[in-house]
Amino acid sequence: MSGAYAFINDEKQNLSSFRDNLPNGSGARTKFDQLNPAISPFSIVLPGQLIVVGDDSTRMCTPEDNLLASYARDVRQSLIATDHASARVLIQNYDVLQSIMSYGSIGIGSVTSAWSAHLSQVESTLKDINDAYQRWRAGSLTKDQFVARRQTLFNVLDGQLRGIGRWGTGLKNNSTIKKMLGISSKRFLLTGEVANYARNVKRINNVARTLSGGTAIGVALDVSAGLMEIGEACSAGREQQCTKAKFVEVGKMMVGIPTSVTIGGIGAKAAVSMCFRMAGPSRGASLVVCGIAGGATGGWLGGAGGSKVGEHFSNWLYELVDDE
Amino acid sequence: MNDDLLGGVVIVSGVISLVSFCVDVYVKYFILPEIEERLKNCRVVIDAKRCWDNSGFVGRRYRLVAVNLALTSTELMRQQDMVDINEVKSISDHQRRWICIPERVALTAFIAGISALALLGKLW
């Protein structure tokens, strides 16, 4: 095979023998190393990592080689945040997951990005609470001003952590926010720091940062899933099958991804509207959570349905071109 | 029902989805800021802008949802003191159309496309 292709490593292993047996000798090995910089001859490759094998008709990296290498990098970065056991589950259930991820991942991915924004808001409120304590200690706030400011911030945090809004924050559901944050005014005056503050902020920040690339990873997964389907069809060496796969996969992406975004927005609006009628405005942050959940459902439905429509559309287009 | 007709519905639905997405991008980047500027005392819009301002394209989706709610569920929002009714009334019909029509067209096209695929037996 001359074209570039990629495969998913299915178990923890060293790929040096695979690398050594590549056709075209040292040129292919050098190119393999270039396209897979994270894999050295002695390193262990984790399950789930995307391995790129370059176009063996040239020593130069083709645009397709580079594109696959960038997807591999994205996948690797997202796997770094995943432990070995989770990565293994992912691979063992790849077929099932693929049906969810392919053409629906943009919807799910955009939700992880949105959730990241929600967690950043929680982090910001925690920082404001800490800031209020610091200002009180420094004497720039009177006791009454401090108590009023703290109460306002606690109300904001209470709304942000209501229901599933707590997910990813690692904050336990205690009877009061003071207990949850481990805040004690007396201890603060002695030690000068809010207990657990740094730990909570760091944890929330880590989760938010991990989730923030959701949309990009979602799009990368969608596109790489399509490219793999094309690669699989083209590797069989049947010109017609290869051309048809290109039409179908591009059509699925072209309709699936935009539909996922549009229907995700409609799902978010429907969910927020429903939550508004049920919960009322006092639960402001819960509405954000409702919007994210509705966006996820809409995005997934839109992505899955849109890719089916796109498949039909591109099949029709292929037959039209093929007849001419 | 005629398979060709259903197939045509699916194709038209796909084309409309693509056009709707382009319109959606235009609305998010050009119409949304204009309307947000005019709804600067509506709590639902202010909260959404504060929360999603730095979240790029995804954030704009949720900001558009807030504006859409202010314009289409005005009575519900007014009861909860989430909108300034005078500001909502000041939004022109032209701007309302940009917010409301693409969404409805996209939803109708999506439902029509999926229904046609189901009738063709190609949905599952």
Side-chain angles (χ1 to χ4, degrees), chain A residues 22-312:
Chain A
L22 284 170
N24 289 1
S26 65
R29 285 196 287 276
T30 310
K31 194 167 179 181
F32 182 84
D33 293 340
Q34 271 180 342
L35 295 172
N36 303 279
I39 302 170
S40 73
F42 307 106
S43 68
I44 298 293
V45 183
L46 293 174
Q49 264 185 254
L50 204 60
I51 313 298
V52 182
V53 180
D55 185 340
D56 61 13
S57 63
T58 169
R59 284 179 175 235
M60 305 288 284
C61 287
T62 64
E64 199 182 5
D65 289 341
N66 291 328
L67 190 65
L68 285 172
S70 75
Y71 295 143
R73 195 167 51 243
D74 287 344
V75 170
R76 186 172 178 275
Q77 279 167 354
S78 63
L79 279 176
I80 287 170
T82 312
D83 58 85
H84 176 64
S86 309
R88 188 145 194 88
V89 168
L90 190 144
I91 294 312
Q92 283 169 349
N93 298 287
Y94 183 73
D95 285 346
V96 180
L97 287 168
Q98 197 183 31
S99 66
I100 300 169
M101 298 297 274
S102 298
Y103 312 106
S105 54
I106 175 76
I108 294 164
S110 66
V111 170
T112 62
S113 296
W115 201 265
S116 153
H118 167 64
L119 292 178
S120 297
Q121 291 285 320
V122 175
E123 186 191 346
S124 166
T125 310
L126 288 177
K127 283 179 177 167
D128 287 346
I129 291 171
N130 189 56
D131 183 52
Y133 272 87
Q134 299 287 358
R135 287 172 63 199
W136 173 46
R137 194 174 189 235
S140 60
L141 283 182
T142 65
K143 178 83 189 270
D144 288 346
Q145 285 173 327
F146 164 69
V147 170
R149 171 84 179 135
R150 191 181 66 179
Q151 193 51 49
T152 308
L153 291 168
F154 278 7
N155 287 342
V156 172
L157 189 64
D158 189 37
Q160 286 172 333
L161 298 179
R162 206 178 284 272
I164 61 169
R166 196 180 296 274
W167 286 357
T169 64
L171 296 170
K172 292 192 176 74
N173 189 10
N174 281 320
S175 53
T176 66
I177 288 195
K178 277 175 82 171
K179 278 186 187 169
M180 180 175 73
L181 296 178
I183 290 172
S184 157
S185 303
K186 282 178 191 167
R187 192 169 59 205
F188 179 81
L189 284 174
L190 289 174
T191 62
E193 67 169 23
V194 175
N196 300 331
Y197 163 75
R199 204 182 63 206
N200 284 328
V201 168
K202 191 177 174 192
R203 181 177 46 221
I204 293 169
N205 183 271
N206 281 342
V207 178
R209 206 174 50 226
T210 307
L211 294 178
S212 65
T215 307
I217 300 264
V219 172
L221 282 170
D222 277 355
V223 176
S224 55
L227 282 176
M228 280 179 189
E229 290 283 337
I230 293 171
E232 204 175 307
C234 295
S235 67
R238 291 171 60 187
E239 183 73 20
Q240 198 179 13
Q241 207 176 8
C242 176
T243 312
K244 188 174 181 182
K246 284 177 184 167
F247 263 84
V248 170
E249 294 305 324
V250 171
K252 279 162 86 173
M253 281 185 269
M254 274 183 66
V255 181
I257 293 176
T259 310
S260 171
V261 174
T262 313
I263 302 298
I266 295 170
K269 184 197 160 192
V272 172
S273 185
M274 193 180 73
C275 291
F276 218 102
R277 285 166 209 275
M278 290 164 67
S282 59
R283 300 186 170 186
S286 305
L287 296 178
V288 172
V289 174
C290 279
I292 293 171
T297 313
W300 183 75
L301 281 173
S307 65
K308 286 277 181 192
V309 172
E311 188 178 350
H312 185 88

Side-chain angles (χ1 to χ4, degrees), chain B:
Chain B
M1 202 180 284
N2 188 326
D3 280 4
D4 288 343
L5 177 67
L6 290 173
V9 170
V10 177
I11 289 157
V12 171
S13 148
V15 173
I16 292 176
S17 295
L18 286 176
V19 175
S20 295
F21 177 72
C22 298
V23 174
D24 190 49
V25 172
Y26 174 75
V27 169
K28 279 175 182 153
Y29 283 90
F30 296 99
I31 307 291
L32 178 66
E34 280 177 25
I35 298 183
E36 279 179 333
E37 186 58 34
R38 298 186 74 164
L39 299 177
K40 55 188 169 205
N41 290 313
C42 295
R43 239 176 74 203
V44 65
V45 176
I46 297 166
D47 286 353
K49 196 162 190 307
R50 184 175 47 79
C51 189
W52 302 110
D53 204 17
N54 298 314
S55 305
F57 188 74
V58 174
R60 282 177 191 266
R61 174 208 275 185
Y62 290 100
R63 282 162 56 192
L64 186 62
V65 165
V67 167
N68 200 319
L69 278 170
L71 297 183
T72 57
S73 306
T74 314
E75 188 50 34
L76 174 70
M77 295 284 144
R78 194 188 60 78
Q79 284 168 7
Q80 315 280 5
D81 198 25
M82 297 293 279
V83 292
D84 179 333
I85 199 79
N86 292 322
E87 283 186 351
V88 174
K89 280 181 183 167
S90 76
I91 304 296
S92 67
D93 286 348
H94 173 73
Q95 285 173 318
R96 281 172 194 271
R97 283 189 202 111
W98 275 113
I99 296 289
C100 303
I101 293 177
E103 177 197 277
R104 287 174 196 181
V105 169
L107 184 63
T108 309
F110 180 72
I111 293 172
I114 295 297
S115 306
L117 272 178
L119 289 170
L120 281 168
K122 290 181 178 175
L123 192 57
W124 292 281

